Coordinates of all heavy atoms in Angstrom, one line a residue:
A215 N -7.2 -5.1 -12.1 CA -5.8 -5.1 -12.5 C -5.0 -5.6 -11.3 O -4.1 -6.4 -11.4 CB -5.3 -3.8 -13.0
Y216 N -5.3 -5.0 -10.1 CA -4.6 -5.3 -8.9 C -4.7 -6.8 -8.6 O -3.8 -7.5 -8.3 CB -5.1 -4.5 -7.7 CG -4.5 -5.0 -6.4 CD1 -3.2 -4.6 -6.0 CD2 -5.2 -5.9 -5.6 CE1 -2.7 -5.0 -4.8 CE2 -4.6 -6.4 -4.4 CZ -3.4 -5.9 -4.0 OH -2.8 -6.4 -2.8
E217 N -6.0 -7.3 -8.7 CA -6.3 -8.7 -8.4 C -5.5 -9.6 -9.3 O -4.9 -10.6 -8.9 CB -7.8 -8.9 -8.5 CG -8.3 -10.1 -7.8 CD -9.8 -10.2 -7.8 OE1 -10.4 -10.1 -8.9 OE2 -10.4 -10.4 -6.8
A218 N -5.6 -9.3 -10.6 CA -4.9 -10.2 -11.6 C -3.4 -10.3 -11.3 O -2.8 -11.3 -11.4 CB -5.2 -9.7 -13.0
Q219 N -2.8 -9.1 -11.0 CA -1.4 -9.0 -10.8 C -1.0 -9.7 -9.5 O 0.1 -10.4 -9.4 CB -1.0 -7.6 -10.7 CG 0.4 -7.3 -11.3 CD 0.7 -5.8 -11.2 OE1 0.3 -5.1 -10.3 NE2 1.5 -5.3 -12.1
T220 N -1.8 -9.6 -8.4 CA -1.3 -10.0 -7.1 C -1.8 -11.4 -6.7 O -1.2 -12.0 -5.8 CB -1.7 -9.0 -6.0 OG1 -3.1 -8.8 -6.1 CG2 -1.0 -7.7 -6.2
E221 N -2.8 -11.9 -7.3 CA -3.3 -13.2 -7.0 C -2.2 -14.3 -6.9 O -2.1 -15.0 -6.0 CB -4.5 -13.6 -7.9 CG -5.3 -14.8 -7.5 CD -5.8 -14.7 -6.0 OE1 -6.3 -13.7 -5.6 OE2 -5.6 -15.7 -5.3
P222 N -1.4 -14.3 -8.0 CA -0.3 -15.3 -8.0 C 0.7 -15.1 -6.8 O 1.3 -16.0 -6.3 CB 0.4 -15.1 -9.3 CG -0.5 -14.4 -10.2 CD -1.4 -13.6 -9.3
V223 N 0.9 -13.8 -6.4 CA 1.8 -13.5 -5.4 C 1.3 -14.0 -4.0 O 2.0 -14.6 -3.2 CB 2.1 -11.9 -5.2 CG1 3.0 -11.6 -4.1 CG2 2.6 -11.4 -6.6
L224 N 0.0 -13.8 -3.8 CA -0.7 -14.3 -2.6 C -0.6 -15.8 -2.6 O -0.3 -16.4 -1.5 CB -2.1 -13.8 -2.6 CG -2.3 -12.3 -2.4 CD1 -3.8 -11.9 -2.5 CD2 -1.8 -11.8 -1.1
Q225 N -0.8 -16.5 -3.7 CA -0.8 -17.9 -3.7 C 0.6 -18.4 -3.4 O 0.8 -19.4 -2.7 CB -1.2 -18.5 -5.1 CG -2.7 -18.4 -5.3 CD -3.1 -18.7 -6.7 OE1 -2.3 -18.9 -7.6 NE2 -4.4 -18.7 -6.9
Y226 N 1.6 -17.7 -3.9 CA 3.0 -18.0 -3.7 C 3.4 -18.0 -2.2 O 4.0 -18.9 -1.7 CB 3.9 -17.0 -4.5 CG 5.4 -17.1 -4.4 CD1 6.1 -18.0 -5.0 CD2 6.1 -16.2 -3.6 CE1 7.5 -18.1 -4.9 CE2 7.4 -16.2 -3.4 CZ 8.2 -17.2 -4.1 OH 9.5 -17.2 -4.0
Y227 N 2.9 -16.9 -1.6 CA 3.2 -16.8 -0.1 C 2.4 -17.8 0.7 O 2.8 -18.2 1.8 CB 3.0 -15.4 0.3 CG 4.2 -14.5 -0.1 CD1 3.9 -13.3 -0.8 CD2 5.5 -14.8 0.1 CE1 4.9 -12.4 -1.2 CE2 6.5 -14.0 -0.3 CZ 6.3 -12.8 -1.0 OH 7.3 -12.0 -1.4
Q228 N 1.2 -18.1 0.2 CA 0.3 -19.0 0.9 C 1.0 -20.4 0.9 O 1.1 -21.1 2.0 CB -1.0 -19.1 0.1 CG -2.0 -20.2 0.6 CD -2.9 -19.6 1.7 OE1 -3.5 -18.6 1.6 NE2 -2.8 -20.3 2.9
K229 N 1.6 -20.8 -0.2 CA 2.3 -22.1 -0.3 C 3.5 -22.1 0.6 O 3.8 -23.1 1.2 CB 2.8 -22.3 -1.8 CG 1.7 -22.8 -2.7 CD 2.4 -23.5 -3.9 CE 1.4 -23.7 -5.1 NZ 1.4 -22.6 -6.0
K230 N 4.1 -21.0 0.8 CA 5.3 -20.9 1.7 C 4.8 -20.9 3.2 O 5.7 -20.9 4.1 CB 6.1 -19.6 1.4 CG 6.9 -19.7 0.1 CD 7.9 -18.6 0.0 CE 8.8 -18.8 -1.2 NZ 9.6 -20.1 -1.2
G231 N 3.6 -20.7 3.4 CA 3.0 -20.7 4.8 C 3.3 -19.4 5.5 O 3.3 -19.4 6.8
V232 N 3.5 -18.3 4.8 CA 3.8 -17.0 5.5 C 2.6 -16.0 5.3 O 2.7 -14.9 5.8 CB 5.1 -16.4 5.1 CG1 6.3 -17.3 5.5 CG2 5.1 -16.1 3.6
L233 N 1.6 -16.4 4.6 CA 0.5 -15.4 4.4 C -0.5 -15.3 5.5 O -1.0 -16.3 6.0 CB -0.3 -15.8 3.1 CG -1.3 -14.9 2.6 CD1 -0.7 -13.6 2.1 CD2 -2.2 -15.5 1.5
E234 N -0.7 -14.1 6.0 CA -1.7 -13.9 7.1 C -2.7 -12.9 6.5 O -2.4 -11.8 6.2 CB -1.0 -13.2 8.3 CG 0.0 -14.0 9.0 CD -0.6 -15.2 9.8 OE1 -1.7 -15.0 10.2 OE2 0.1 -16.2 10.0
T235 N -4.0 -13.4 6.4 CA -5.0 -12.6 5.8 C -5.9 -12.0 6.9 O -6.3 -12.7 7.8 CB -5.8 -13.3 4.8 OG1 -4.9 -13.7 3.7 CG2 -6.9 -12.5 4.2

Side-chain angles (χ1 to χ4, degrees):
Y216 172 82
E217 200 176 47
Q219 212 180 32
T220 56
E221 192 51 46
V223 181
L224 293 173
Q225 285 171 356
Y226 176 78
Y227 286 127
Q228 176 86 55
K229 279 200 194 93
K230 289 193 173 297
V232 295
L233 186 68
E234 294 288 332
T235 297

